[in-house]
Amino acid sequence: MDTPPNPKIKTKIRDCSSQNIMFEKKAAEYHCVWDYEFEWTKDHIPADAKQPLKFSYDKLAEQALERINVISPPPPSSNSRQAIQNADASKNVIPGPTVQPPKRDLYTLLRDNAANDAILGRLWDEVNFVPEWVDWDQIERGQKVFYRYAVGALTGLAFQGLLGGMASNRVVETLARTGGFSTKIARHRFFETFQHVLECTKSLSDIQPGGAGHASTVRVRLLHASVRKRIMKLVESRPQYYDHQAFGTPINDLDCIQAIGTYSSNLMFLQLPRQNIHPRKQEVEDYIALFRYIAHIVGTPTEPYESPRKAKAWMESIMLTEIDPSETSRVLATNIIKCLEDTPPVYVSKEFLEVGSRWLNGNDLADGLGLGNPGYYYWALMAGQCWLSKVVAYTARAIPWLDELQIAYFRQLLYGYIVEGDTLGGPSHFDYKYIPENGKKTTYEEDVPRPVEAKKPFSVETVYLYAFIVGVVAMLLTGALGLTLSLNVSKNLISILS
């Protein structure tokens, strides 16, 4: 039986009892953590069973990266370039024109050299192998699920997946050391993550071997190996740089299971339900199956995603032991809020971002992340957003032709705007550009660069306000209609009886 790892979570369990939640359940069988309640079952994973996963990782990708680095050496880090420049200056060497080295594409290097190197060949065969449990029809249905609930899915992934994900106190120690969540970079990195999801769901051929989504997933796998190898190399010369025993190996198997869950089980069982959107059973099965296959490609253990039941149990087990905001968590969450505030494509305010995070993560976790708690107006906006998301999704899924039309529309809109438009300016190859270095760790930042098109007069908050007003009017009219019908029925009964 798993037990809460710290007093903060124990307090949450006592709070559940005080609220008379599941009063008839034994305390040993039931948990309430970060405003989420669940019953412990045989599918849940005790803390001691998860512990080895903090030190196991994708060794094959790391071995393959070493071979790729021999074939095509990586460019020097910024510290190395600075050292060379300083050495030249001390020798009075006049620097020549700066020549940018060509960017390496790790996927292309793997593909083109797989036939000539045993280790690269093993990795290439593994990522292109299609397990027997893969059903391509189901994978395609799973891709459509994302766009069927696109508005709610993007909201959930932004507020719970990204901002809520900063509460994982071990994972953020790796993120903070890459520098990728400084205010200057976090927005771009945020949309790069969305690019990966969009490429994996763009079409069935895109996620199959040779497709753009498949290639991006392989690139992400090698990128993880690059970051892990770099941090562990720094630890060899400076152990205090990263506490390996406390945080585990960077980007370990447990971290990767949690990352896959953020985009799959969390969306199905936490992010959408907290917006009062409930996918159908078959949709959940299809979507989890899609991300089980993505886990296979990216080198993550696939067992946790063998079924929706197991995926949900893993999500809850991770919430119980791995979510506990630290000071680093608060730094990254604050920087994310700053870099997304009043920026395209939605131009939302800081207050709306904070309320959205509270709605999707709960007040306890939002307090732990140091987020503000704005007034009722912004809560009304968030209610309008949830109502709108539900109406759009439920209406479309009830009408097959409209469902297909909406899926095609969101596929084209999101990929065109985020990937091909000004947001990213073209597909990212997930280059190794956020490089961990000694003395480098993300801290609080005040200077937030704004895109040129920022602070436009229109904000999506206006749409949510209208949605809230329409929703309130609809409820009042429905209530008035129901009351009128009840009174008429009562009058008729009275006249009949009299």
Side-chain angles (χ1 to χ4, degrees), residues 7-65:
K8 187 177 295 182
I9 296 182
K10 289 180 181 178
T11 300
K12 300 298 177 293
I13 294 176
R14 287 199 298 271
D15 285 346
C16 277
S17 300
S18 65
Q19 296 167 11
N20 294 319
I21 299 174
M22 297 291 287
F23 182 78
E24 72 279 6
K25 292 288 184 181
K26 296 180 180 178
E29 298 175 350
Y30 193 74
H31 291 282
C32 178
V33 56
W34 306 119
D35 299 308
Y36 178 87
E37 307 95 35
F38 68 94
E39 184 181 1
W40 191 268
T41 70
K42 61 181 179 62
D43 292 312
H44 288 79
I45 299 86
D48 56 354
K50 294 196 291 286
Q51 186 64 21
L53 293 172
K54 297 177 183 178
F55 297 93
S56 61
Y57 58 93
D58 183 9
K59 293 184 175 62
L60 178 57
E62 199 157 301
Q63 293 169 358
L65 179 67

Side-chain angles (χ1 to χ4, degrees), residues 212-283:
H214 185 275
S216 288
T217 306
V218 176
R219 290 187 181 102
V220 169
R221 182 172 180 173
L222 291 168
L223 175 63
H224 288 171
S226 300
V227 174
R228 180 171 51 245
K229 186 176 179 62
R230 174 65 179 172
I231 290 178
M232 293 309 296
K233 183 177 180 181
L234 291 173
V235 169
E236 290 178 3
S237 59
R238 190 184 172 201
Q240 67 272 26
Y241 172 73
Y242 176 88
D243 192 337
H244 184 215
Q245 288 304 310
F247 303 136
T249 302
I251 317 181
N252 54 60
D253 284 340
L254 183 59
D255 295 341
C256 292
I257 291 171
Q258 184 176 348
I260 291 292
T262 297
Y263 298 98
S264 57
S265 49
N266 286 32
L267 181 61
M268 294 291 103
F269 303 119
L270 186 64
Q271 297 165 12
L272 290 178
R274 282 188 167 174
Q275 299 173 71
N276 201 24
I277 299 172
H278 302 277
R280 292 169 291 199
K281 180 181 178 182
Q282 187 62 55
E283 291 174 327

Side-chain angles (χ1 to χ4, degrees), residues 134-243:
V134 171
D135 178 345
W136 291 123
D137 290 336
Q138 183 179 45
I139 298 299
E140 187 172 28
R141 293 196 304 269
Q143 292 175 315
K144 292 181 177 181
V145 169
F146 180 79
Y147 296 98
R148 181 171 297 127
Y149 301 101
V151 179
L154 293 175
T155 300
L157 292 176
F159 290 131
Q160 196 281 326
L162 178 67
L163 276 161
M166 296 303 106
S168 182
N169 60 356
R170 289 188 310 96
V171 174
V172 295
E173 294 300 328
T174 298
L175 297 177
R177 283 162 175 78
T178 66
F181 281 90
S182 68
T183 55
K184 296 181 178 66
I185 300 172
R187 181 177 178 272
H188 188 85
R189 182 157 178 178
F190 171 68
F191 284 113
E192 278 186 335
T193 302
F194 270 136
Q195 177 197 315
H196 184 217
V197 176
L198 295 175
E199 287 183 331
C200 287
T201 56
K202 190 178 180 184
S203 71
L204 180 60
S205 60
D206 276 291
I207 193 58
Q208 290 175 324
H214 185 275
S216 288
T217 306
V218 176
R219 290 187 181 102
V220 169
R221 182 172 180 173
L222 291 168
L223 175 63
H224 288 171
S226 300
V227 174
R228 180 171 51 245
K229 186 176 179 62
R230 174 65 179 172
I231 290 178
M232 293 309 296
K233 183 177 180 181
L234 291 173
V235 169
E236 290 178 3
S237 59
R238 190 184 172 201
Q240 67 272 26
Y241 172 73
Y242 176 88
D243 192 337

Side-chain angles (χ1 to χ4, degrees), residues 277-447:
I277 299 172
H278 302 277
R280 292 169 291 199
K281 180 181 178 182
Q282 187 62 55
E283 291 174 327
V284 174
E285 292 178 359
D286 296 341
Y287 193 74
I288 296 297
L290 165 65
F291 276 86
R292 184 186 180 191
Y293 177 56
I294 293 173
H296 161 71
I297 302 170
V298 84
T300 298
T302 60
E303 292 80 3
Y305 302 98
E306 289 177 345
S307 68
R309 188 189 71 250
K310 289 188 69 173
K312 185 171 184 285
W314 269 91
M315 179 194 79
E316 293 167 343
S317 302
I318 286 172
M319 287 180 68
L320 187 63
T321 60
E322 302 303 310
I323 305 301
D324 187 14
S326 63
E327 182 60 23
T328 302
S329 300
R330 289 182 278 277
V331 168
L332 299 193
T334 299
N335 286 352
I336 290 170
I337 292 283
K338 287 179 179 178
C339 77
L340 294 180
E341 175 189 358
D342 291 327
T343 58
V346 289
Y347 303 99
V348 293
S349 61
K350 172 188 176 184
E351 291 79 7
F352 184 79
L353 291 168
E354 291 174 332
V355 164
S357 299
R358 286 182 174 276
W359 194 293
L360 271 294
N361 296 291
N363 283 319
D364 288 330
L365 191 59
D367 288 341
L369 289 170
L371 302 180
N373 189 3
Y376 292 121
Y377 172 77
Y378 293 97
W379 286 90
L381 293 182
M382 190 63 197
Q385 189 274 330
C386 292
W387 292 348
L388 179 63
S389 300
K390 183 170 184 175
V391 169
V392 170
Y394 279 40
T395 301
R397 80 180 191 183
I399 307 172
W401 68 265
L402 184 58
D403 185 44
E404 291 298 327
L405 185 65
Q406 175 182 273
I407 290 169
Y409 171 75
F410 277 121
R411 270 181 167 154
Q412 182 177 5
L413 174 71
L414 295 175
Y415 193 84
Y417 190 92
I418 293 176
V419 180
E420 295 177 336
D422 293 336
T423 306
L424 286 178
S428 169
H429 280 183
F430 303 97
D431 306 310
Y432 184 37
K433 49 184 175 285
Y434 311 123
I435 303 176
E437 294 176 354
N438 269 326
K440 177 180 176 181
K441 185 177 179 181
T442 303
T443 58
Y444 287 110
E445 298 178 18
E446 296 296 334
D447 182 21

Side-chain angles (χ1 to χ4, degrees), residues 477-487:
L477 291 176
T478 302
L481 179 61
L483 180 60
T484 302
L485 291 174
S486 298
L487 290 174

